[in-house]
Amino acid sequence: MRYTGVTARGIVCPIFKAGDDLANEIYNTLITASAEEGFSIDDNDIICITESVVARCYNNYASCEQIAADIRRKFGGKDLGIVFPILSRNRFSILLKAIAMACDKLYVQLSYPSDEVGNKLISEDAVLEKNVNPYSDSFASEAEFRATFGHDTKHRFTGVDYIQLYKSFGDHIETVISNDPTYILNFTKNVLNCDIHTRKRTKRLLANAGAQTVYGLEDILTAPVDGSGFNAEYGLLGSNMATEDKVKLFPSKADSMEVITSLKQLFQEKLGKSVEVMIYGDGCFKDPVGGIWELADPVVSPAFTSGLSGTPNEIKIKYFADNELSNLTGAELGDAIQAKIRNKDSDLVGEMASQGTTPRQYTDLIGSLSDLVSGSGDRGTPVVLIKGYFTNYASE
């Protein structure tokens, strides 16, 4: 009988640097860890690797000057507006520094009361108290916004006033606040939309409303600029601060696939084990206190092996225990539940048996688990080994 189900173990790794053979380093680290700490690596185990070490090992970086050169070439270097940047020092401030270098006049349009991922500029209560309609009311200047809401616009957790921070990148920057992406067209017809998950809709609305030139962050650095890194699929989306003048880009599909393919092959050839491998970035969960949705990357996983495709197909144990099998107890109830699991339909979508289970992709669930285990600070565990993920109550 099994006494444990899913387990996730953070693996302490060396500090990876540009040029390292990442797949081989991770293989050796996992083999050493398993020998020293007495755990096995088995078929169907999942090895999860944080995207940052992939980008670092493949030297996927870009400087502010390189980013600015691409933006200047696309927009012409005169007036420019950006819409819906997230409020983040790590994720956006360095990008804004580069954007400001690429034009003579810059209009920054912020959304309110919060950005796309939940960072609050003001509270929802403040919007109600001032009788403001966030769907229709816009503010043409910082002064107009503050005349309504006051000057207390510091982020609850970071203590940063993002209006002030974003203005600090140049005297040529003006701030407007609106949830209508087309509002920026009152100031300029050249627009870089900076939202992440709503970017396609925003770009379409801007183009239909008469924007002259429209690009998104996903369109910047899709190819090398003056020797920079790049991401052909996501451009600047998923990038974050490396230094005060450089960002680390989201790892490319090609680099990510090379890592997961090589690592899976190493375990098959050297250990005879068929493992699954994925690269993960932000988990897709929401902080219930701050209201921040963690997913600032364009996707949770840019690359994964084929066994991680799809969604779980699970029955809800408590549903049967409380209903059809409510007259049973103990071992008899356990046996009946196991029989239900073994005989479940291959596709439970829409059936009462699966009500309350999580209809999410494996990679989103596993990426969220890995992100929580590895953390984003000083744990030193950029690799997570997950065991038993595909087992259930009926597994031997």
Side-chain angles (χ1 to χ4, degrees):
M1 178 176 177
R2 295 182 308 112
Y3 289 94
T4 59
V6 179
T7 60
R9 185 189 302 260
I11 305 299
V12 178
C13 293
I15 306 301
F16 298 114
K17 302 289 286 184
D20 286 349
D21 183 342
L22 185 58
N24 197 59
E25 292 272 6
I26 291 173
Y27 175 82
N28 291 334
T29 298
L30 278 164
I31 294 301
T32 300
S34 66
E36 292 294 324
E37 299 194 359
F39 61 86
S40 61
I41 298 174
D42 303 302
D43 290 337
N44 297 318
D45 283 356
I46 307 170
I47 301 166
C48 303
I49 307 160
T50 185
E51 56 84 20
S52 63
V53 298
V54 180
R56 188 179 305 129
C57 288
Y58 283 84
N59 201 27
N60 203 17
Y61 293 87
S63 68
C64 287
E65 289 78 8
Q66 291 164 331
I67 296 169
D70 199 20
I71 295 172
R72 195 178 301 113
R73 183 162 56 243
K74 286 182 166 70
F75 287 99
K78 300 298 183 182
D79 58 300
L80 175 62
I82 62 173
V83 293
F84 303 157
I86 63 173
L87 305 178
S88 171
R89 293 167 296 178
N90 176 49
R91 287 288 189 174
F92 194 74
S93 65
I94 300 304
L95 298 185
L96 180 57
K97 181 177 181 179
I99 295 166
M101 294 166 56
C103 60
D104 295 334
K105 183 68 178 181
L106 179 61
Y107 299 92
V108 177
Q109 180 175 315
L110 303 177
S111 56
Y112 76 101
S114 63
D115 68 9
E116 179 184 4
V117 296
N119 293 296
K120 286 184 173 60
L121 193 63
I122 52 173
S123 70
E124 289 89 347
D125 288 342
V127 174
L128 291 173
E129 290 167 4
K130 299 300 181 180
N131 197 29
V132 170
N133 185 342
Y135 296 102
S136 60
D137 294 340
S138 301
F139 302 87
S141 66
E142 176 191 353
E144 186 178 322
F145 183 77
R146 293 199 187 278
T148 301
F149 293 108
H151 290 264
D152 186 13
T153 52
K154 288 184 178 179
H155 192 282
R156 175 177 182 178
F157 295 118
T158 66
V160 174
D161 185 319
Y162 283 97
I163 296 177
Q164 292 298 319
L165 175 63
Y166 285 5
K167 281 199 318 181
S168 71
F169 290 102
D171 294 336
H172 62 311
I173 298 175
E174 291 187 24
T175 305
V176 300
I177 295 93
S178 176
N179 293 323
D180 175 4
T182 66
Y183 186 69
I184 195 71
L185 300 179
N186 292 302
F187 307 91
T188 176
K189 303 299 182 184
N190 302 311
V191 186
L192 175 67
N193 65 288
C194 300
D195 45 345
I196 306 161
H197 308 292
T198 54
R199 62 187 184 273
K200 292 181 180 179
R201 175 180 180 272
T202 298
K203 189 183 291 185
R204 184 176 67 251
L205 290 172
L206 286 163
N208 291 342
Q212 178 178 313
T213 307
V214 183
Y215 289 100
L217 287 181
E218 73 276 17
D219 302 312
I220 311 301
L221 285 193
T222 55
V225 174
D226 300 331
S228 73
F230 69 100
N231 188 305
E233 185 174 8
Y234 295 120
L236 291 178
L237 289 176
S239 63
N240 50 40
M241 178 189 291
T243 71
E244 293 298 325
D245 296 291
K246 184 168 67 173
V247 298
K248 176 191 64 60
L249 301 174
F250 206 52
S252 73
K253 183 80 169 179
D255 294 344
S256 299
M257 288 302 299
E258 182 174 82
V259 171
I260 66 171
T261 302
S262 297
L263 190 57
K264 182 176 178 67
Q265 187 175 352
L266 282 169
F267 276 96
Q268 185 67 59
E269 292 179 351
K270 294 190 175 186
L271 282 188
K273 301 297 181 181
S274 179
V275 299
E276 302 296 339
V277 188
M278 66 174 277
I279 311 299
Y280 70 95
D282 283 339
C284 46
F285 47 83
K286 186 173 183 178
D287 168 42
V289 176
I292 299 171
W293 184 38
E294 178 69 13
L295 187 57
D297 287 327
V299 290
V300 172
S301 176
F304 50 90
T305 50
S306 59
L308 299 179
S309 297
T311 59
N313 187 58
E314 301 174 346
I315 68 167
K316 197 73 170 180
I317 288 179
K318 67 181 181 181
Y319 171 76
F320 287 99
D322 290 342
N323 289 276
E324 182 181 331
L325 306 177
S326 61
N327 60 317
L328 303 180
T329 60
E332 190 178 9
L333 175 59
D335 290 343
I337 292 291
Q338 288 182 350
K340 287 289 183 184
I341 294 171
R342 293 190 183 103
N343 296 315
K344 66 186 176 184
D345 293 341
S346 59
D347 185 359
L348 292 168
V349 172
E351 293 191 22
M352 197 65 181
S354 65
Q355 182 172 294
T357 59
T358 307
R360 291 167 59 188
Q361 297 181 104
Y362 279 124
T363 51
D364 293 343
L365 292 163
I366 296 166
S368 296
L369 172 60
S370 300
D371 193 21
L372 288 167
V373 170
S374 63
S376 59
D378 57 9
R379 290 182 185 170
T381 54
V383 173
V384 176
L385 175 66
I386 299 175
K387 301 183 68 65
Y389 196 84
F390 298 107
T391 62
N392 57 40
Y393 186 68
S395 299
E396 299 295 335

